[in-house]
Amino acid sequence: IQDSTVTFNLVGDLNSLTVQGSDVKISAEDVDTLTVQGSNVTVYARDIDHLSIQGSGVTVHWLGDDPTIQDGGANNTTGKLSQ
């Protein structure tokens, strides 16, 4: 996703999802590898296996098991949501 000020509702299993825009909101189901290179990005997913953040002001939350996380950005928030 290379867009700004947009909202996406993604359905189904995704091998990879890369977000390079700013002010993006995404809800997704199952994502194997999520890469966020943008700023002010919010992602809610049911399950993420691998998470890589290279942007700033990124928020990522999930419901399933904790992913492996690489956070090379700044001012980011990640965490599991309780049901």
Side-chain angles (χ1 to χ4, degrees):
I1 297 173
Q2 295 178 316
D3 209 341
S4 296
T5 318
V6 293
T7 300
F8 289 95
N9 184 12
L10 306 176
V11 179
D13 296 340
L14 300 171
N15 287 332
S16 67
L17 174 61
T18 301
V19 182
Q20 296 175 320
S22 62
D23 300 310
V24 178
K25 291 180 175 50
I26 297 171
S27 64
E29 291 182 354
D30 296 321
V31 182
D32 184 35
T33 302
L34 172 62
T35 304
V36 181
Q37 298 169 329
S39 60
N40 301 318
V41 174
T42 303
V43 179
Y44 289 96
R46 183 173 51 192
D47 195 37
I48 302 169
D49 292 332
H50 308 284
L51 172 60
S52 174
I53 301 174
Q54 297 149 5
S56 63
V58 175
T59 301
V60 179
H61 292 292
W62 57 88
L63 288 171
D65 294 334
D66 291 342
T68 57
I69 299 173
Q70 294 177 329
D71 185 353
N75 302 317
N76 300 317
T77 304
T78 61
K80 182 174 182 170
L81 294 172
S82 58
Q83 295 183 0

